[in-house]
Amino acid sequence: MEVSETHTMSKKEIAVSFLERVASGDVRGAFKDYTGNAFRHHNPYFRGDSESLMLGMEDNAVKNPNKRFEVKRAMADEETVAVHSHVRQNPDDPGAVVVHIFRFENGRIVELWDIGQPIPEDPLNENGVF
């Protein structure tokens, strides 16, 4: 993606595109196109630098080539974007509800939080998880 293209995209579009590309296996391309040099994250399973998270995401993409990622809603407030999504590691997986929170500086993602909850096979809540 050309750098000029990211300038025409909204922060919400950048956040969603980042997640879609990562889910499809284009992890390094997504990081290259959308993250800033000072990127950091808060996933407790990886060191806080971009390289550690990229390696974990690439490993997940190799192990789950049929991953499904569906955005349910995305919200933006100035330099912060939240994306609520349904992530399934394969078509038969009930999946998880995931919320990614992005912080932007100068149009680039510089910080990321992710929160997930597995979807139970027999949920008690009649409203569903979405």
Side-chain angles (χ1 to χ4, degrees), residues 1-73:
M1 171 172 293
E2 294 294 323
V3 174
S4 61
E5 288 180 51
T6 62
H7 292 292
T8 62
M9 296 173 71
S10 71
K11 291 176 182 79
K12 234 184 345 185
E13 290 170 324
I14 290 170
V16 169
S17 182
F18 175 85
L19 292 171
E20 289 174 340
R21 288 178 63 185
V22 164
S24 74
D26 183 19
V27 177
R28 294 218 177 238
F31 271 80
K32 176 184 166 288
D33 288 343
Y34 301 129
T35 64
N37 292 332
F39 175 85
R40 63 185 182 148
H41 69 91
H42 300 273
N43 185 310
Y45 299 104
F46 303 97
R47 293 186 47 81
D49 61 289
S50 61
E51 185 68 21
S52 297
L53 186 60
M54 279 192 290
L55 289 172
M57 290 174 160
E58 287 174 333
D59 183 55
N60 182 271
V62 168
K63 290 178 180 172
N64 300 290
N66 297 312
K67 180 185 288 188
R68 301 287 190 260
F69 174 79
E70 180 183 358
V71 173
K72 297 298 186 175
R73 56 194 54 80

Side-chain angles (χ1 to χ4, degrees), residues 10-16 19 42 73-84 99-115:
S10 71
K11 291 176 182 79
K12 234 184 345 185
E13 290 170 324
I14 290 170
V16 169
L19 292 171
H42 300 273
R73 56 194 54 80
M75 297 147 272
D77 181 25
E78 296 181 17
E79 298 300 310
T80 304
V81 174
V83 180
H84 179 220
V99 175
H100 290 88
I101 302 169
F102 298 85
R103 186 172 66 82
F104 284 77
E105 282 181 5
N106 301 315
R108 311 278 298 173
I109 300 166
V110 294
E111 198 162 12
L112 172 64
W113 295 262
D114 56 328
I115 304 112

